[in-house]
Amino acid sequence: MTDFYIEHQKILLSVDCIIFGFDEGQLRVLIGKRQLDPGRGEWSLYGGFVGPDESVDDAASRTVFELTGLRNLYMRQVGAFGNIDRDPGERVVSISYYALINVKDYDDQLRQEHGVEWVNIKELPTMYSDHRDMIRKARKLMQDKIRTEPISFRLLPSLFTLTQLQRLYEAVNGEAVDKRNFRKRIKEMEFIEKTELIDKTGSKRGAYLYRFNKAAYNEDPNFKL
């Protein structure tokens, strides 16, 4: 440490991580009860303070790994939240990030160890500080991205039906889409491959399974839905 800026007040810097998942046709977010004061027992995002020897990106990656045990996730910064009175304990500025995971990849034992739950985004409870605002802004950013980048496949299993894909888009955007037009547009995308495998969990007739071909997308990344 040096004596530079000693005349200025020190402000704490934290990261808060919004983990989105998709399950049973619903967009869900991972939240838990705060384990420390202030706000102990209130619903909250999972986060922590930035260490003296790490960047905010590194702090967010560490925090997400601690919570999920997963690496190389799709993760983007949401923004800074710095209202003066946002934290009743100290002056804290938080940098928020959102990440997308396939719920089935997440070890449920790890979820229980951290005391977090998957909550339907339509049924969010009252939350600590500005955490609901963080989730709202993250969802808006995701809605913009999902139209121009194939991020939806981060939330789906490697093999999926077109119905699953449509329900994902509807869950993220919060509105129904026309089934015929949606499927027509999807089938025009060469990087969404139809397989010979059939999913019969929904009906006796079943539905063909599809997969995302990353190599084909890299050759023609002009994606827009």
Side-chain angles (χ1 to χ4, degrees), residues 73-90:
L73 296 176
Y74 178 92
M75 187 165 66
R76 293 293 183 272
Q77 189 179 115
V78 177
F81 293 78
N83 285 346
I84 295 174
D85 58 351
R86 64 173 302 274
D87 192 307
E90 291 286 350

Side-chain angles (χ1 to χ4, degrees), residues 15-16 18 55-57 60 74-81 94-99 137-138 141 145:
V15 293
D16 284 296
I18 304 154
S55 68
V56 290
D57 286 352
Y74 178 92
M75 187 165 66
R76 293 293 183 272
Q77 189 179 115
V78 177
F81 293 78
S94 179
I95 310 298
S96 180
Y97 290 77
Y98 79 91
K137 185 174 181 181
L141 292 174
K145 283 286 186 184

Side-chain angles (χ1 to χ4, degrees), residues 19-138:
I19 312 296
F20 285 118
F22 178 71
D23 191 35
E24 297 180 348
Q26 301 293 334
L27 182 65
R28 302 180 187 275
V29 62
L30 206 56
I31 63 175
K33 299 289 187 72
R34 276 177 68 87
Q35 303 297 314
L36 71 163
D37 294 318
R40 185 184 298 270
E42 294 183 32
W43 286 104
S44 170
L45 293 170
Y46 191 82
F49 290 102
V50 178
D53 299 318
E54 62 182 355
S55 68
V56 290
D57 286 352
D58 288 342
S61 296
R62 170 182 54 78
T63 300
V64 168
F65 177 73
E66 289 174 355
L67 179 61
T68 68
L70 301 174
R71 297 190 186 276
N72 301 318
L73 296 176
Y74 178 92
M75 187 165 66
R76 293 293 183 272
Q77 189 179 115
V78 177
F81 293 78
N83 285 346
I84 295 174
D85 58 351
R86 64 173 302 274
D87 192 307
E90 291 286 350
R91 181 78 167 93
V92 181
V93 173
S94 179
I95 310 298
S96 180
Y97 290 77
Y98 79 91
L100 309 180
I101 69 174
N102 178 3
V103 172
K104 305 304 181 184
D105 289 340
Y106 186 30
D107 187 341
D108 199 60
Q109 182 176 344
L110 193 60
R111 179 189 65 78
Q112 294 179 39
E113 289 175 2
H114 285 287
V116 292
E117 298 180 20
W118 286 111
V119 176
N120 188 335
I121 199 167
K122 296 179 181 178
E123 301 170 355
L124 287 176
T126 300
M127 297 183 70
Y128 178 74
S129 186
D130 47 13
H131 288 192
R132 279 180 65 114
D133 292 335
M134 292 180 180
I135 294 172
R136 190 178 303 113
K137 185 174 181 181

